[in-house]
Amino acid sequence: MENDTEDTFLKVLQTFLDKNAISGVQPKTLALAKDKKTLVLKEYIVKTWGEEYPYLAQNEYHSMKAVQKAGVTIPHIQLSKNGKFLLVEKFDYQKDRDEYIGFEEVLVLFGKNRDKKYSGSYEQIAKLIYAVTTNKRHSMEQFYKTVVMKS
């Protein structure tokens, strides 16, 4: 991101406001960008932070990179030059195949809304993942590594 200022974030937010359906405390928006090499249109979640949670984008970036080093697959991410913005390539849908390949938050599988986002347990999540996945061992290993890295 060349022009990574708060002003730029507000412009992106206003441009894509009608496409925003992302819950959570952290300021974020969706943005579309064309890959210069392939000319494929990609969708990104652009995250930043406010005074209440300084350096949140940097914290998430480095946390995700640590989880990746532990062997967990993460989406393609990039931190802006000034560290204020985290770009996360959307990974839940592949347009070229017209298929959903994942989900952003496990609460979707539980049928919960954001008000109930933090109710439940790791055990409930593990049982749900085990019930819906086709590669149970790999999925459970990825979940275990994620939980250990977050603790």
Side-chain angles (χ1 to χ4, degrees):
M1 242 181 157
E2 292 294 321
N3 300 319
D4 49 1
T5 66
E6 188 172 336
D7 216 29
T8 302
F9 180 76
L10 292 174
K11 287 177 187 173
V12 170
L13 181 63
Q14 290 170 348
T15 303
F16 297 103
L17 191 60
D18 63 328
K19 298 185 183 322
N20 277 323
I22 306 174
S23 64
V25 174
Q26 187 174 9
K28 63 192 109 177
T29 187
L30 292 176
L32 299 172
K34 190 177 283 191
D35 186 302
K36 291 179 183 179
K37 293 178 187 172
T38 64
L39 299 178
V40 173
L41 199 60
K42 294 184 179 183
E43 195 170 21
Y44 292 88
I45 300 169
V46 182
K47 299 180 177 186
T48 189
W49 46 270
E51 290 179 23
E52 188 176 358
Y53 301 106
Y55 308 105
L56 194 57
Q58 291 175 20
N59 182 56
E60 185 172 352
Y61 174 81
H62 292 294
S63 296
M64 289 178 72
K65 285 298 192 177
V67 169
Q68 183 180 39
K69 290 272 188 195
V72 176
T73 304
I74 67 166
H76 298 286
I77 60 174
Q78 180 181 341
L79 195 60
S80 68
K81 287 183 180 181
N82 71 357
K84 278 199 70 140
F85 303 102
L86 173 65
L87 283 77
V88 181
E89 187 175 335
K90 293 241 337 158
F91 55 88
D92 61 339
Y93 180 73
Q94 281 188 333
K95 290 183 182 182
D96 58 332
R97 297 168 125 185
D98 193 29
E99 72 178 5
Y100 286 93
I101 57 170
F103 55 92
E104 291 180 17
E105 294 189 62
V106 76
L107 66 94
V108 172
L109 295 178
F110 281 111
K112 294 181 177 182
N113 63 24
R114 67 182 183 171
D115 296 333
K116 304 271 185 186
K117 183 174 185 170
Y118 298 107
S119 67
S121 67
Y122 286 140
E123 179 184 6
Q124 290 171 326
I125 295 169
K127 286 179 179 178
L128 180 65
I129 291 170
Y130 192 83
V132 301
T133 190
T134 54
N135 189 342
K136 295 181 185 319
R137 181 181 177 97
H138 177 73
S139 296
M140 296 309 293
E141 286 174 357
Q142 294 281 292
F143 177 64
Y144 175 77
K145 289 176 181 180
T146 302
V147 170
V148 168
M149 291 301 294
K150 287 188 155 218
S151 298

